[in-house]
Amino acid sequence: MKIIDIRESTRPIKSNIRNAYIDFSKMTLSLVAVVTDVVRNGKPVIGYGFNSNGRYGQGALMRERFIPRLLEAEPASLLEDDGSNLDPHKIWATMMSNEKPGGHGERSVAVGTIDMAVWDAVAKIADKPLYQLLAERYGNGTANRKVFVYAAGGYYWPGQGIAGLEREMRSYLDRGYSVVKKKIGGASLAEDCQRIEAVLKLLGPGQKLAVDANGRFDLKTAVSYAKALSQYELFWYEEAGDPLDYALQAELAPHYAGSMATGENLFSMQDARNLIRYGGMRPDRDWLQFDCALSYGLVEYLRTLDMLKENGWSPSRCIPHGGHQMSLMIAAGLGLGGNESYPDLFQPYGGFPDGVKVDNGYVTLPELPGIGFEGKADLYQEMQQLAG
Ligand SMILES: [Mg+2]
């Protein structure tokens, strides 16, 4: 058993939107195929992966460092001890050989993308859904295929206006979501409050709004927003300040009694641990958004989950960023609190297998081998093109 090829390609996921910090008009991602010599159900097993939005394609790092390390390694060194499957942990360690600690950034995206493809291959070789494999190896043995998802949107679009925002949010509610999210910090506080109040008027019983500042605020602005937002009953107040400014997050907490969320721009277990140590996050109400596809993949995310447990945090407080099926697998297999979803953005990479509908804020995952990309026709078409 061995990996015979690893292919990568940079693909556009541009959108005519912006948050408080960046616009997405030139956004890209990396798509990866890990080709093995294993045959399952009459077909060669190929694992696929991609990084989620916001950090661009990382093909150069893969081509120069991570792919050659795997293809040059003794094939048996990348397998489980009994040779029955690829070993994601050994593959991860091989990719990270001769890499210094710290400085997590683009490298964590490149490794996380390959890692996703490796896990897809591993679950296909085992001929079971990845959530089932994860529940058996690292969880309580039983996956929960029903996963909470919320609709992320509410970006600032050119010429959108309040009416456009209302139309967008209404369409998410009509599609079965119970929690919707909009951006803040790309307009004045007064204008943002108008936008929030317009959305709140659309919500029925049990429906909630989350807001996301995308790390834009200094402490003074973050506190001003906290005071203004306290008048509403929000699902959460997300990423108020710079993701690495743990003191800001800790100083903000006493000003906001509701839930806060952050972590999508922390790319290693060590960075996540610093947030838990120094960020004043509250395990009884706050949410953690680490995204494995940007942060060294699931091998590293398992370390992060262990770290959280050691610090008294339940995996159910994690709702990852990114809206991809990999995090849905982890949520179903290891009991995360849910996953982000972008109903109208970043296609064909985001979203669910065809036919999966959101029902009162939850999706039920089908029983497909691997991550289940084959169940989403438009995405699988892109993947097959890459695999050749
Ligand atoms: Mg965010």
Side-chain angles (χ1 to χ4, degrees), residues 51-276:
N51 59 281
S52 43
N53 68 82
R55 291 286 161 175
Y56 302 96
Q58 299 299 339
L61 295 183
M62 294 184 206
R63 287 191 299 276
E64 290 176 10
R65 307 215 295 275
F66 303 113
I67 293 175
R69 283 175 194 156
L70 292 181
L71 296 181
E72 288 163 10
E74 171 59 38
S77 72
L78 304 178
L79 302 180
E80 288 180 10
D81 291 344
D82 65 4
S84 64
N85 206 328
L86 301 173
D87 185 329
H89 302 270
K90 291 178 184 169
I91 289 172
W92 195 95
T94 301
M95 281 197 281
M96 288 296 285
S97 59
N98 294 321
E99 296 286 328
K100 293 172 77 173
H104 313 290
E106 320 277 43
R107 175 178 81 183
S108 64
V109 178
V111 171
T113 306
I114 297 171
D115 176 271
M116 187 192 295
V118 167
W119 283 101
D120 187 36
V122 164
K124 285 170 176 167
I125 290 168
D127 203 16
K128 55 180 78 170
L130 179 57
Y131 57 72
Q132 186 59 36
L133 182 128
L134 295 179
E136 290 167 10
R137 285 193 188 179
Y138 309 105
N140 64 10
T142 308
N144 181 358
R145 294 198 287 133
K146 195 173 167 192
V147 179
F148 167 74
V149 289
Y150 72 92
Y155 289 78
Y156 299 94
W157 306 68
Q160 172 196 44
I162 294 278
L165 175 67
E166 288 171 340
R167 262 196 307 280
E168 180 194 348
M169 293 291 152
R170 166 74 68 197
S171 84
Y172 300 151
L173 298 170
D174 288 346
R175 276 178 267 180
Y177 290 94
S178 59
V179 174
V180 295
K181 186 168 91 179
K182 69 178 289 305
K183 299 300 179 182
I184 57 171
S188 68
L189 175 55
E191 193 185 324
D192 274 337
C193 285
Q194 280 178 356
R195 289 166 58 90
I196 288 169
E197 287 165 24
V199 177
L200 290 176
K201 285 198 188 99
L202 305 175
L203 301 181
Q207 297 179 331
K208 285 271 176 75
L209 170 68
V211 298
D212 181 4
N214 286 95
R216 167 80 183 253
F217 300 149
D218 59 16
L219 179 60
K220 187 161 164 274
T221 311
V223 170
S224 302
Y225 267 80
K227 287 179 178 158
L229 297 177
S230 294
Q231 67 186 300
Y232 312 119
E233 224 183 284
L234 298 175
F235 192 70
W236 69 47
Y237 171 19
E238 175 176 335
E239 212 177 23
D242 186 279
L244 293 170
D245 192 342
Y246 307 120
L248 182 152
Q249 184 65 37
E251 287 169 43
L252 178 59
H255 297 277
Y256 193 72
S259 296
M260 290 195 282
T262 192
E264 71 178 64
N265 291 304
L266 300 180
F267 291 162
S268 66
M269 182 279 286
Q270 292 86 350
D271 285 334
R273 189 173 61 193
N274 279 339
L275 176 69
I276 297 303

Side-chain angles (χ1 to χ4, degrees), residues 147-151 177-179 328 337-341 352 358 361-363:
V147 179
F148 167 74
V149 289
Y150 72 92
Y177 290 94
S178 59
V179 174
L328 286 175
N339 195 28
E340 187 167 25
S341 164
F352 318 116
V358 183
Y362 286 80
V363 291

